[in-house]
Amino acid sequence: MTRNIMKKRFMASKTSMLVLMTVSSLLFTACSSKSAPNAAEGTNGGDAPAKQVTLKVEVFDRGNSPAGSTITDNYLTKFVQENFGASNNIKVEYVPVPRSEEVAKLNVLMASGNNVPDIVFTYDPNTFNRYAKQGGLTDLGPLLDEYGQELKTFLGDEVLEYGKFEGTQFAIPAKRSNTGKYASFIRQDWLNKLNMPVPKTTEELYETLKAFKEKDPGETGGQVIPLGMTIASAQYEPLIWSFIKPMTEEQQYTLTQQLGSNDYPILLPGFKESLQFMNKLYNEGLINKDFGLDKDKKKLGEDISTGKIGFFSEDDVNIYYQDGSYDLLQKNVKGAEIAAVDVYTNEEGMHAKPKYAPNGLYIMIPKSSERAVEAVKYLNWMATGDNLFNLQNGVVDENYTLVDGIPVAVENPTEEAKNRMYNSGDMAIISNGKQLGSMEKNLKARALAMPKQFQEQVAVAQEIANADTIPLVMLDRPIEAQTKYATTLLDKFNEIIVKTTMAKPEQFESTYDSMLKDYMASGGQAILDERIAVYKEMKSK
């Protein structure tokens, strides 16, 4: 189904959704002080329903269910029913949504009116903002106050703030266990062979990259790639953000452009200089020539694992998985060694790099739901006692053992134990990553989940990812122009990076100017104007 068709279906259902909104509003007015909006029929004072009701919950379907299980019938769905549903007289029914079609499928469900699940979610803030603006979501503030105290405590005010639209709590954001994103990596064995130190600044890195090209310490037969680059953000963001200059609060709030869940520095001071540096590297043969075609990082992974790349940036733990690029490199190239490093430096000497927002999923309850109370109770149950821990880790001594209070996966689990937890990340929706009570423990658990030979290096990479990080800029209301133009502008942003990097040095200025002009005309100027207006409103309050 095309986006236009889905949009028409959504708009066609808008009238019925508005009717439901009106009915819900009248019900709220008629409720006593002990009742909550959208309370289930048959519920006694907020206690368990007098008769069993059904709570429908969205679940991502990744097509990876083991034999004997389905995404709607498995160990964890049974665990939820036995430990939450039974005691509350609720049948929990899961509605599968293909992960690869998350937003498109959700749009269809939301447009279906009464067929939409009682709990839905998305990673896309623009999708959340659109549903909230169109009146399709339940106000969760009163429900959280009455039925979600453990959930509120678990999430905290900072995370909850990301679920507000114009001051109203329309989503329950999942809590990230780690907000660090990126580290950089270098072939330590190449440095050893050239008797060179680990570079500590951008300028030192430049000299190292030139040495890699000229001396080919990996003996690649002329196939050496000093700096591995792609058009995925993990490769270019550490470089670009290190060029961004100090700025005023007004510049930070108004010149940043948020396209999806990331901030983009296209108008920030220093952005042009970052592209000039990439242009220099490219024209000197220090970046792979076809980087603009590698959107899924597949070629980057192949070139790392076959020993062609000397330096690259990546999501902090991506290379360390079993049978991942580092594991394969060590199998393919005897003596190959990669070190995690923090090299790119800004003019203040900091290794500046962006970090994730503290929230992950936006968990929502459609306005049409008659089970909003049960939905909040379900999420609150997940945040209570050991429930989240059990959902994320399974059964002690079968799925994990405790080491200094940290759950460590059993090395050779039985097939039954392994199949038990295949979808734990998609069931424990109030958290992105394992939560153990502190960032230190969360990161330690993350490292201990990796192959033993890489665990110490993972700890270093995670430390780098969390150093000198740049938080997202948060305005007090959504920017409508960002929601409208984000998809188009993100494509244009990537195009700017590729074409300015690949331009001949004498054509850089004209290429940059023409592409920036096109970007601004395609929605960038509208975002800038709206952000300026919102910032002025914020400062006038």
Side-chain angles (χ1 to χ4, degrees), residues 394-453:
V395 179
V396 66
D397 294 330
E398 295 182 26
N399 293 103
Y400 71 93
T401 57
L402 286 175
V403 179
D404 297 328
I406 306 293
V408 178
V410 171
E411 282 196 34
N412 296 301
T414 64
E415 199 67 22
E416 179 185 359
K418 189 189 303 180
N419 294 345
R420 184 180 288 148
M421 304 306 294
Y422 78 97
N423 64 332
S424 61
D426 293 328
M427 290 291 290
I429 56 174
I430 64 171
S431 174
N432 280 86
K434 292 187 177 182
Q435 299 284 353
L436 297 172
S438 71
M439 179 68 75
E440 181 183 2
K441 285 187 175 181
N442 293 347
L443 293 179
K444 187 174 181 180
R446 196 163 173 248
L448 289 173
M450 306 302 285
K452 276 191 174 180
Q453 69 268 30

Side-chain angles (χ1 to χ4, degrees), residues 95-260:
V95 180
V97 169
R99 177 65 181 95
S100 59
E101 304 170 28
E102 171 213 337
V103 174
K105 180 66 173 178
L106 182 56
N107 285 336
V108 174
L109 288 172
M110 290 293 284
S112 69
N114 291 331
N115 291 326
V116 64
D118 301 294
I119 294 177
V120 297
F121 43 75
T122 181
Y123 279 106
D124 183 18
N126 292 321
T127 297
F128 158 60
N129 289 334
R130 185 171 68 251
Y131 292 157
K133 183 181 180 182
Q134 292 173 339
L137 302 178
T138 298
D139 177 1
L140 302 176
L143 290 165
L144 283 170
D145 288 341
E146 189 160 358
Y147 302 104
Q149 287 303 314
E150 287 83 0
L151 182 59
K152 288 177 67 175
T153 300
F154 168 74
L155 296 175
D157 292 340
E158 181 188 12
V159 174
L160 282 167
E161 196 68 27
Y162 281 84
K164 291 182 179 179
F165 179 88
E166 297 183 351
T168 301
Q169 193 80 48
F170 282 121
I172 296 170
K175 182 179 182 179
R176 283 192 181 275
S177 62
N178 170 41
T179 56
K181 275 190 173 184
Y182 308 131
S184 294
F185 303 89
I186 198 164
R187 283 290 296 271
Q188 181 65 56
D189 56 314
W190 288 14
L191 293 175
N192 295 343
K193 190 171 184 178
L194 298 177
N195 196 28
M196 295 183 71
V198 173
K200 296 181 179 179
T201 66
T202 304
E203 186 57 38
E204 289 180 9
L205 173 64
Y206 171 67
E207 297 299 328
T208 301
L209 296 177
K210 288 199 299 182
F212 285 172
K213 178 178 173 56
E214 294 165 4
K215 301 178 181 179
D216 193 9
E219 300 179 7
T220 66
Q223 298 184 66
V224 61
I225 301 171
L227 171 58
M229 183 60 65
T230 76
I231 199 56
S233 57
Q235 279 68 67
Y236 63 71
E237 281 203 327
L239 186 157
I240 287 176
W241 279 95
S242 72
F243 278 84
I244 301 305
K245 302 178 184 300
M247 68 193 87
T248 65
E249 179 192 77
E250 182 175 1
Q251 286 177 310
Q252 183 183 22
Y253 275 84
T254 60
L255 300 182
T256 301
Q257 304 230 322
Q258 190 180 78
L259 312 177

Side-chain angles (χ1 to χ4, degrees), residues 280-295:
K280 176 182 179 180
L281 296 177
Y282 185 85
N283 280 285
E284 292 182 13
L286 304 180
I287 294 179
N288 40 313
K289 293 291 184 182
D290 56 354
F291 80 96
L293 302 176
D294 194 11
K295 295 182 179 181

Side-chain angles (χ1 to χ4, degrees), residues 45-64:
D47 296 328
K51 61 180 181 179
Q52 188 181 65
V53 297
T54 298
L55 175 69
K56 295 183 179 181
V57 181
E58 178 185 350
V59 64
F60 280 148
D61 185 355
R62 301 178 189 270
N64 62 338

Side-chain angles (χ1 to χ4, degrees), residues 370-400:
E370 297 179 356
R371 299 287 171 252
V373 168
E374 290 79 8
V376 172
K377 283 186 174 182
Y378 170 65
L379 299 172
N380 191 68
W381 165 83
M382 203 175 289
T384 303
D386 293 332
N387 294 324
L388 179 62
F389 183 92
N390 291 330
L391 284 171
Q392 293 186 324
N393 296 287
V395 179
V396 66
D397 294 330
E398 295 182 26
N399 293 103
Y400 71 93

